[in-house]
Amino acid sequence: MTTPTRTPVQAPAPPRTSRPDAVRRPRGRRRPAKSPSVLLSKTGVTALLALATLYTLLPLTWLLLSSTKSREDLFGTNGFTLGGEMHLGQNLRHLFTADDGVYVRWVINTVLYAGVGALLAAVFSVAAGYAFDKLAFPGKERLFSLVLLGVMVPATALAIPLYLLAAKVGMVNTFWGVFFPGLVFPFGVYLARVFSASYVPDEVLEAARMDGAGEFRAFCRIAFPMLAPGFVTIFLFQFTQIWNSFFLPLVMLSDQDLYPVNLGLYVWYSSALSQGHPEDYLLAVVGSLVSVAPLIAVFLMLQRFWKSGMTAGAVK
């Protein structure tokens, strides 16, 4: 009897591995090519921003270069070139000593008009905006409509009515005739209401009221610190507006000791043109450069709060 023979079972062959250098790495997804319209729009936006920057920097560059020249170089050289010698220090000394140092007086007046006025206007605006947002009182929306109406009225259109009102109460040609109108800032009230709705939760105020805090204490201790970015933003807007104000002081004031910087520089410039005093033209140029410095300093010091305030409500 023959026994059946078993056929050996062959083990499966191991998978063939290719050499490491032959391994293909997975390729990443190719980014879709940008359409010509997208590239054109980015190029257009960049060109517009470049033009806006050039438009902003060119006058300041001319002002800086012209302030370093003598009176002869100011009229005899190109405005965007340096003069023969540097006269900036001499021009500054002449600026602060001309007419018995009246420019220093103008700067102090402007700091009081713009600094103190904008600070009080920001406080009043934040308080009013908070009240319009969080408090309930009769006729609230109608009063807020009047505030919005005040936003749409230009400041120059109010100069003559303000002069007539000031004449009735005897504030023409006084410090208060220019100071008091700067305390009213309808656009700041509108911004403060927007900031209050975004920054101050109603639940926090309800908790404060349940703990026994009154409305004034809840505003001062809880709401106002939350509204700090909005307060700084409103202050910067009003500070810039009062600092650049021209028509209201022109109508309201006749005493040069009460002039702000803008009006004083206008007097020097008019004197250079009408009365033939070229030295006053150089004073107006150097004084304009000096008057820009406080604005730049204030914006640099408060830019952190201003940036956070301007982006309020962008992300919920």
Side-chain angles (χ1 to χ4, degrees):
M1 185 175 181
T2 61
T3 58
T5 59
R6 296 181 178 178
T7 57
V9 179
Q10 298 180 355
R16 299 176 62 183
T17 58
S18 58
R19 290 178 298 177
D21 55 354
V23 177
R24 295 182 178 179
R25 296 181 180 179
R27 297 181 178 178
R29 295 182 179 178
R30 295 182 177 178
R31 296 182 178 179
K34 296 182 179 180
S35 61
S37 60
V38 175
L39 294 176
L40 184 61
S41 62
K42 292 183 64 176
T43 304
V45 170
T46 305
L48 288 177
L49 291 177
L51 288 176
T53 304
L54 189 65
Y55 176 79
T56 304
L57 294 180
L58 274 181
L60 188 59
T61 304
W62 180 89
L63 200 62
L64 180 61
L65 294 176
S66 299
S67 299
T68 62
K69 300 178 181 180
S70 63
R71 188 178 62 186
E72 293 76 13
D73 291 338
L74 181 63
F75 294 99
T77 60
N78 191 311
F80 293 96
T81 59
L82 291 172
E85 297 180 1
M86 185 70 64
H87 290 82
L88 181 59
Q90 180 180 351
N91 292 336
L92 290 176
R93 286 193 298 269
H94 183 42
L95 172 68
F96 290 115
T97 57
D99 297 337
D100 297 328
V102 69
Y103 185 81
V104 179
R105 179 64 179 175
W106 293 343
V107 172
I108 294 175
N109 292 338
T110 310
V111 170
L112 294 177
Y113 291 141
V116 181
L119 184 64
L120 294 177
V123 172
F124 297 154
S125 297
V126 169
Y130 170 83
F132 277 118
D133 179 51
K134 301 301 181 184
L135 303 182
F137 52 89
K140 179 176 72 172
E141 296 302 328
R142 293 184 178 179
L143 289 177
F144 190 70
S145 300
L146 293 178
V147 173
L148 295 180
L149 183 62
V151 173
M152 294 182 287
V153 178
T156 53
L158 299 176
I160 301 302
L162 287 174
Y163 173 81
L164 297 177
L165 291 174
K168 291 291 185 180
V169 296
M171 289 196 307
V172 174
N173 197 29
T174 63
F175 172 84
W176 307 108
V178 179
F179 180 78
F180 280 140
L183 303 181
V184 181
F185 190 29
F187 184 64
V189 177
Y190 167 75
L191 284 180
R193 183 173 184 177
V194 174
F195 278 110
S196 178
S198 303
Y199 276 67
V200 184
D202 295 334
E203 294 79 6
V204 176
L205 296 178
E206 290 296 333
R209 295 187 184 103
M210 292 179 63
D211 290 340
E215 293 295 339
F216 182 76
R217 185 178 180 183
F219 169 73
C220 295
R221 301 293 297 274
I222 298 175
F224 194 82
M226 295 181 178
L227 294 172
F231 174 82
V232 174
T233 303
I234 295 170
F235 170 79
L236 287 176
F237 273 116
Q238 184 66 347
F239 181 84
T240 306
Q241 179 173 323
I242 298 177
W243 190 277
N244 295 327
S245 177
F246 172 77
F247 192 59
L248 178 63
L250 177 64
V251 173
M252 196 72 67
L253 301 176
S254 58
D255 186 1
Q256 288 195 8
D257 290 336
L258 298 175
Y259 282 0
V261 170
N262 286 343
L263 188 55
L265 295 177
Y266 170 76
V267 170
W268 276 344
Y269 180 75
S270 301
S271 174
L273 293 182
S274 61
Q275 301 179 13
H277 296 162
E279 63 276 5
D280 288 345
Y281 187 85
L282 183 59
L283 287 175
V285 171
V286 181
S288 299
L289 178 65
V290 175
S291 67
V292 175
L295 288 175
I296 298 176
V298 170
F299 271 91
L300 290 179
M301 289 188 297
L302 301 178
Q303 64 176 342
R304 178 169 60 91
F305 299 97
W306 180 66
K307 288 180 180 179
S308 62
M310 289 298 292
T311 58
V315 181
K316 184 72 174 177

